Every structure is written in structure tokens, then in C-alpha cells.
Amino acid sequence: DAMTLLRMEKPEIIEIAVKLKEFDKLGSVYSSLKRTFSSPESAAEVHTWEQLSPFASVARIVDLLIVVVKFILISIVLVSILNIMTMSVFERVSEIGTMAAIGTPPRRILSMFLIEGFSMGLLSTAGGVIVGLGINWLLNLIRIDFTFGQMNVSLAPSIPLSEVVVTVVIVMLVSLFASFQPAYKAAKMEPVDALGHV
């Protein structure tokens, strides 16, 4: 068909597709091939799958959507822990006043509330990771099959370990950040005012 459409008199190679075993090396292989074949005297062109496929733009939109969802979830964590820690400080004003009155240094009070916020973030993160990996394992176990156009697709999701680690680190940092303002407020309370609080 190509020979007929392109009016070739003899068979010619019009395209060579290279499939990589390690997708992480795509950038370096592409750069190397482009340097080799994209000289002015060569008629060859080098393109990646992303440049040729319209599906690549859909994949980029999905990646952007995932970033937006992560930002929303991190905001929820920030507001939730900030709210809980602020309420914790307000509920324990007299306790904070008693601790300050018996000589507990402000930095000790600060560290107590920071540890509480960090522990809250740690427990919720551990629970989220366990539930998420459990759902992922379950989906891989039952394998959801569906048809997409002319392709038969089997849904077998996977979560990269690096993604889990990055998410855990971000949540823990956000937990500490959200705990700092209420903890600082607790540490700066005057014992007389705190003990007189109703």
C-alpha cells in the first residue's frame, strides 16, 4: 500500500520504530539518535511517540490533573491538622498554664504540640498508605477487563514506590507546618492568663 500511495518503483524503508526495554532511557536515546540522523545532508527525521501520537496530549492533561488533585489533598491535610491543633490548644489552655506555672520551658511546650501534630500526620499517612496499597492489590487481583475502541484492555494499576515516599514526606512536612502556629501560640501563653482562662 505504501509503495502504491507513495509511487515507489522499488521497496524502500520509510520508517523504523525503536522499542526500548527501559523507558527511563527515552530522553538519552532520542538525543543520541537525533544527533546521528538529523544532519543537513540526511533525509531522516527522529520523533518520539509523544510527538506523533495525539494520545500524548491526553496523557499530559491527566498528569496535570493528578498534580491538581495532589495540591487539593495537601490543602485538605493542611487545613484539617491546623484546625485540630488549634482546637487542641484552645481546649487545653488551663493545662498549658499549669505546665508553664510549674516551670516547663516554652520550647518544651512547643515541642509537645509539634510532636502531637507530627504523630497525627504519621498515623493518618500510614493508614492512607495501607488503604491505598490494599485497594491497588485488590484491583490487581480481580483485574478489570474492558474494550477501548478496538483494543482489549486489562486494568492493572501500580503505584511507584517513589510516588508513595514523596507523598509521605510531603504530608509529614505539611503536618509539621500546620502544627507550628498553634504550638507557637501555646508556648507563648502567659501562665497567669492561661490559668485564669475559662
Side-chain angles (χ1 to χ4, degrees):
D1 290 342
M3 287 176 65
T4 305
L5 289 171
L6 299 173
R7 297 187 181 134
M8 296 178 184
E9 296 178 4
K10 57 183 181 179
E12 295 179 23
I13 296 173
I14 57 165
E15 181 180 296
I16 297 173
V18 179
K19 183 178 178 183
L20 299 179
K21 288 182 179 177
E22 296 177 34
F23 189 74
D24 296 341
K25 295 185 177 177
L26 175 65
S28 60
V29 171
Y30 170 69
S31 301
S32 176
L33 289 174
K34 194 162 180 65
R35 277 196 307 272
T36 305
F37 292 107
S38 295
S39 57
E41 59 273 2
S42 172
E45 295 179 8
V46 180
H47 300 284
T48 62
W49 171 81
E50 288 183 349
Q51 294 166 338
L52 299 175
S53 171
F55 184 72
S57 60
V58 176
R60 277 195 294 273
I61 290 170
V62 170
D63 288 343
L64 183 62
L65 184 64
I66 289 170
V67 170
V68 170
V69 169
K70 282 181 184 175
F71 179 76
I72 291 169
L73 291 175
I74 287 168
S75 302
I76 291 169
V77 169
L78 179 67
V79 170
S80 299
I81 291 183
L82 182 61
N83 184 37
I84 291 168
M85 292 304 297
T86 303
M87 292 307 297
S88 177
V89 169
F90 280 129
E91 287 173 359
R92 290 153 61 186
V93 169
S94 57
E95 290 177 35
I96 295 165
T98 305
M99 286 189 296
I102 62 172
T104 306
R107 68 175 180 277
R108 183 71 180 264
I109 296 171
L110 178 77
S111 65
M112 283 171 52
F113 281 96
L114 285 178
I115 290 168
E116 184 179 333
F118 183 80
S119 302
M120 198 181 310
L122 184 65
L123 287 171
S124 58
T125 303
V129 167
I130 290 168
V131 169
L133 293 177
I135 291 171
N136 187 53
W137 174 78
L138 191 63
L139 286 173
N140 279 312
L141 192 68
I142 59 177
R143 292 244 180 198
I144 301 169
D145 297 321
F146 61 94
T147 304
F148 183 74
Q150 296 180 347
M151 297 184 297
N152 292 323
V153 180
S154 181
L155 185 64
S158 64
I159 302 173
L161 182 61
S162 60
E163 196 73 24
V164 174
V165 171
V166 167
T167 304
V168 167
V169 168
I170 288 172
V171 170
M172 298 316 302
L173 289 175
V174 167
S175 299
L176 274 176
F177 178 72
S179 303
F180 185 77
Q181 194 270 340
Y184 183 76
K185 188 171 185 175
K188 287 297 179 185
M189 281 184 183
E190 290 294 330
V192 174
D193 296 334
L195 286 169
H197 180 79
V198 178

